[in-house]
Amino acid sequence: MFTRSELEIKTTLELHDLCHRYGIKPTGNPGYKTSFIVSLMAFPQLALQQMRQGRGLKTPDFNTIQIISTAIDEMGSPTDQQSALIKITLEGRRMNYPDRYDQEKLLALHMAKMKLEQVIGLLEMQ
């Protein structure tokens, strides 16, 4: 990520700004450049180590992933007519009220299912 030489040429204020940008605190006395440099060099490895230890952001367990898969299955697949309505809705065409509410609900269900499928795809990469 950062090299020591890349960081050593920066001023204390620039190092402070980098730490602030990434939301990390200097190690030790913030009056010394070394405090910022140590934090900026160490945080990438610390972040990965924490994930591997199951601290902070972590992969959900298999049961949780199966629950999401079950929800996707329960949502089913759109019929030909529903697919057509979804496509025309995405083109910006709207039905008159009160049918527009259900039209938007159908689109929301479609979008939710697509996002859940993306979630499963991302989590299976783990």
Side-chain angles (χ1 to χ4, degrees), residues 11-45:
T11 66
T12 305
L13 181 58
E14 291 171 322
L15 293 169
H16 173 272
D17 290 346
L18 273 177
C19 282
H20 182 72
R21 173 195 281 175
Y22 297 111
I24 57 175
K25 296 180 176 88
T27 305
N29 186 337
Y32 297 110
K33 285 174 62 169
T34 309
S35 299
F36 294 103
I37 292 171
V38 168
S39 294
L40 289 165
M41 289 184 64
F43 83 85
Q45 286 301 318

Side-chain angles (χ1 to χ4, degrees), residues 75-79 81-95 99-117:
M75 294 175 89
S77 296
T79 65
Q81 293 78 15
Q82 289 172 336
S83 291
L85 181 55
I86 290 166
K87 286 177 188 173
I88 201 167
T89 303
L90 290 171
E91 291 173 359
R93 305 275 311 253
R94 298 290 185 259
M95 298 175 76
D99 291 329
R100 184 180 293 189
Y101 296 116
D102 286 335
Q103 179 188 14
E104 293 189 7
K105 181 179 179 180
L106 178 64
L107 179 62
L109 283 170
H110 172 71
M111 301 294 283
K113 183 176 179 186
M114 286 179 35
K115 289 181 187 283
L116 288 172
E117 288 170 344

Side-chain angles (χ1 to χ4, degrees), residues 7-10 12 14 24-25 28 49 58-59 64 68 70 84-86 98 101 111 115 118 122:
L7 294 172
E8 285 178 344
I9 61 172
K10 296 192 179 297
T12 305
E14 291 171 322
I24 57 175
K25 296 180 176 88
Q49 181 182 31
K58 55 191 175 262
T59 305
T64 303
I68 297 170
T70 301
L85 181 55
I86 290 166
Y101 296 116
M111 301 294 283
K115 289 181 187 283
Q118 288 176 337
L122 290 168

